Amino acid sequence: MSSYIGIQKPSIRVSVIVPVFNPGDGFRDLIASLDRQSLRPDQFEILLCDDGSDEATKRRLDRVAQDRPHVRVLNLPHSGWPGTPRNEGVAAAQGTYVQFVDQDDYLFDTALQALCDYADANGSDVVVGKEVGIGRALPSRIFRRDIPDAVLGEHPLLEMLTPHKLFRTEFLRAHSIRFPDGRVRLEDHLYVMQAYFAASKISILASVPCYAWVKHPGSASASRIDPETYFPHLENVLDVVEANTEPGTLRDRLLRHWFRGKILKRLSGRQMLRYPAEYRNRLIDVVTPIVERRFGPGVDAGLSFPHRIRAALLRAGLRDDLVRFAEFETELSCVAAVTSANWSRGGGLHLSIDVSILRDGREALVFDTETDRLSSLPLESLTDLPPEALIAGRERTNDRIELFLLGDEPGDERRIASERPRARSGISVAIDPLRVFADHGPSSTLRLMAKVRRAGWTFDVPVTSDAGALMRAGSSPLLAGSAVLLTTGSSGGVELQREGSGTGLRDLAGRSARRARQLVRRT
């Protein structure tokens, strides 16, 4: 095992630490992305921490380092997990910061410079740079805005506990923050939570895409867990939380993250139904005593409505109804449809969008008007649950519809509306083409997507429409700039398509006409 402790060179701003073991084709994309970094090569180093790869890989790494003076290869004994190679990388790092990158992911071109500049400006010990999922969905709330001084328990830091972050090197060393050696599940959660509790300042950089997290088949996170060996590792993470907090609201809020994400989520919807009965019973056998021992009423109280029902079923030992509840969830369908579309003379596109949550073609979420109790659940043991378990309460007041325009590039997403629905059914939205197409090329297509929150359930669906509603909108006016066509794509979702020819001149004419119109109104 390497025992090298690097002497930090002020000129090296960041050390990129990559644990490597017999990488596939994605490794080329990673190296290419590091070659494209806007940070000068003499300002960062790349540490390829080889965890005992085969000879072909060793030659491959040597070729990478041969023509790149800022690349070093650390040849290490095989440990079988990325924790030890990452620790060795931190020990050898010469940069002011370290950035962990996995061998099959990559960085956006300005990532290192943006992360270092942000950390310098804010005196950060940890910077959570914006991650973009490639072939995978990622939490979005954490990356809605930059937060220079994020607070654990107040800001959504727990949404992203991957190690793909920037850390101040001396901070890690001073607090002896290390990954566990060997094959340890949730080692990233252990590491990041130790760093979060020890950090003087944690910052979130949401305005710049930094890290592309690529989904590959066969990854550890994609495989089914073994309950008997996995959940002791989860309890190690919970031990870190409890060792650094007092009983009360903050601890409950933090513990809730793992109850929701590592236990209740595994008992939800399609994931629950994919399990063979034998595995499902093993899972419930293992998690039930953990739930009773580690998660109290204060944890349950802050869960979403669907998870409160699930937790109540789990605590009551109603295994058959847990399965029925999962079936109910998989049968829910959300439809977000444009019911009217028209252009204003001022160049805005005005859409009315209605939303329905259906099951078997009928309204799926039916609530008693007096008690707010969900009355449409097909469960047999409802009387065995605490009465409050079926009352939505705050979730009903938090119903919301968000609309997004998505481009073709990863991370190309713009939220254009976030509103409470009218009578819980829909919203109206105005779209300014000059604004939403400002950062796109001459010929561009933007897809309209909806995130619907209803009684604690969340649905991400394309916005659809019948052809007639879109045709009635007609042609875009002069003040909309370049001609924009409202249409449906091959999948049936609504799209805004902008013509490629003469785009710049038409946009300029549209802006000029708007200014003239404003001047006339002022006079």
Side-chain angles (χ1 to χ4, degrees):
M1 181 174 292
S2 169
S3 60
Y4 176 83
I5 301 294
I7 300 174
Q8 186 170 301
K9 297 181 180 179
S11 61
I12 298 181
R13 299 186 68 187
V14 58
S15 301
V16 180
I17 296 175
V18 185
V20 178
F21 181 72
N22 297 338
D25 292 341
F27 187 66
R28 285 197 294 268
D29 295 333
L30 168 60
I31 297 302
S33 77
L34 293 171
D35 286 343
R36 294 194 302 268
Q37 288 300 300
S38 58
L39 200 64
R40 297 197 318 268
D42 63 338
Q43 292 182 308
F44 72 100
E45 65 174 351
I46 303 167
L47 301 179
L48 303 177
C49 305
D50 181 25
D51 193 49
S53 295
D54 58 26
E55 290 302 317
T57 295
K58 294 183 187 300
R59 292 192 295 271
R60 183 182 186 185
L61 299 183
D62 288 340
R63 288 194 298 272
V64 171
Q66 183 177 2
D67 300 325
R68 298 174 177 86
H70 60 306
V71 174
R72 285 191 285 155
V73 179
L74 304 185
N75 293 300
L76 307 170
H78 183 57
S79 71
W81 211 246
T84 298
R86 288 175 183 144
N87 289 336
E88 294 299 306
V90 173
Q94 299 179 19
T96 301
Y97 306 102
V98 298
Q99 168 70 43
F100 295 113
V101 183
D102 288 341
Q103 65 181 17
D104 47 8
D105 297 332
Y106 61 88
L107 296 179
F108 288 88
D109 295 358
T110 63
L112 293 179
Q113 185 168 2
L115 287 163
C116 290
D117 288 349
Y118 198 64
D120 288 348
N122 294 293
S124 312
D125 289 326
V126 184
V127 178
V128 185
K130 182 175 183 177
E131 294 197 42
V132 176
I134 308 298
R136 66 167 81 228
L138 296 185
S140 59
R141 194 163 61 99
I142 186 173
F143 297 128
R144 285 184 181 171
R145 61 185 179 91
D146 291 350
I147 306 177
D149 193 359
V151 177
L152 190 60
E154 181 178 328
H155 297 108
L157 287 166
L158 297 187
E159 278 198 346
M160 192 60 63
L161 290 175
T162 61
H164 315 140
K165 297 170 175 60
L166 188 85
F167 298 88
R168 188 179 298 276
T169 309
E170 288 307 317
F171 158 74
L172 296 177
R173 293 172 179 165
H175 292 275
S176 300
I177 297 172
R178 293 175 52 84
F179 289 93
D181 293 311
R183 187 180 178 88
V184 175
R185 299 302 296 265
L186 297 175
E187 83 286 356
D188 45 356
H189 290 219
L190 276 171
Y191 191 87
V192 172
M193 289 308 297
Q194 291 179 70
Y196 278 173
F197 281 120
S200 297
K201 184 173 287 188
I202 307 166
S203 302
I204 297 174
L205 177 59
S207 56
V208 179
C210 295
Y211 193 99
W213 188 9
V214 183
K215 182 176 183 180
H216 294 276
S219 65
S221 60
S223 60
R224 183 181 296 169
I225 63 166
D226 178 70
E228 291 82 4
T229 59
Y230 178 89
F231 284 101
H233 295 306
L234 171 62
E235 292 207 74
N236 290 337
V237 179
L238 304 183
D239 287 341
V240 172
V241 174
E242 293 185 355
N244 287 277
T245 59
E246 297 293 330
T249 302
L250 175 60
R251 178 184 288 185
D252 288 344
R253 188 177 298 143
L254 299 181
L255 292 178
R256 190 178 302 130
H257 170 79
W258 286 277
F259 186 25
R260 179 176 56 236
K262 299 305 178 184
I263 294 179
L264 295 177
K265 186 177 179 181
R266 287 189 161 91
L267 303 176
S268 305
R270 288 182 176 81
Q271 187 161 353
M272 175 73 152
L273 299 179
R274 281 197 297 265
Y275 302 146
E278 180 273 335
Y279 178 86
R280 185 163 55 233
N281 284 323
R282 280 176 53 209
L283 176 62
I284 294 174
D285 285 343
V286 171
V287 302
T288 298
I290 295 175
V291 170
E292 294 297 334
R293 187 170 63 248
R294 306 302 292 251
F295 306 115
V299 176
D300 283 18
L303 293 169
S304 68
F305 179 50
H307 279 324
R308 291 202 302 277
I309 297 174
R310 205 173 340 272
L313 293 169
L314 178 62
R315 292 184 188 277
L318 300 173
R319 299 189 180 200
D320 290 343
D321 270 348
L322 269 172
V323 175
R324 292 188 187 95
F325 187 51
E327 291 171 343
F328 171 81
E329 291 183 302
T330 62
E331 293 164 359
L332 299 179
S333 64
C334 177
V335 178
V338 174
T339 56
S340 69
N342 59 83
W343 292 96
S344 70
R345 293 180 60 188
L349 175 62
H350 295 262
L351 303 177
S352 292
I353 299 172
D354 279 359
V355 172
S356 300
I357 311 297
L358 305 174
R359 178 174 175 262
D360 295 330
R362 293 177 292 182
E363 182 63 36
L365 302 177
V366 180
F367 291 86
D368 184 276
T369 55
E370 293 184 1
T371 65
D372 220 18
R373 185 178 187 272
L374 181 61
S375 59
S376 54
L377 280 181
L379 306 184
E380 294 184 356
S381 306
L382 294 180
T383 56
D384 295 333
L385 298 181
E388 65 274 10
L390 298 179
I391 297 175
R394 67 177 181 274
E395 282 81 10
R396 294 264 283 160
T397 62
N398 291 333
D399 284 355
R400 184 160 292 273
I401 300 172
E402 296 179 280
L403 294 181
F404 297 84
L405 285 171
L406 274 59
D408 294 329
E409 297 299 321
D412 184 5
E413 175 181 292
R414 178 193 290 263
R415 185 172 64 168
I416 57 172
S418 177
E419 298 182 20
R420 291 191 59 190
R422 305 181 309 269
R424 306 189 186 280
S425 63
I427 63 171
S428 296
V429 61
I431 301 173
D432 182 354
L434 282 176
R435 181 171 297 173
V436 299
F437 281 106
D439 298 325
H440 295 77
S443 297
S444 304
T445 298
L446 299 177
R447 292 172 286 122
L448 192 60
M449 300 289 294
K451 179 187 288 290
V452 179
R453 294 182 175 86
R454 181 73 59 85
W457 279 273
T458 300
F459 306 87
D460 292 285
V461 294
V463 176
T464 60
S465 180
D466 61 70
L470 302 186
M471 289 180 62
R472 286 191 290 273
S475 303
S476 60
L478 171 64
L479 271 66
S482 300
V484 174
L485 178 65
L486 192 61
T487 185
T488 54
S490 56
S491 62
V494 174
E495 296 181 347
L496 277 68
Q497 295 180 354
R498 184 167 70 158
E499 288 186 2
S501 58
T503 297
L505 290 175
R506 292 184 184 183
D507 285 353
L508 180 61
R511 292 190 180 93
S512 299
R514 288 187 185 189
R515 285 194 293 269
R517 191 178 188 217
Q518 290 172 352
L519 288 173
V520 169
R521 285 183 171 180
R522 289 173 186 169
T523 57

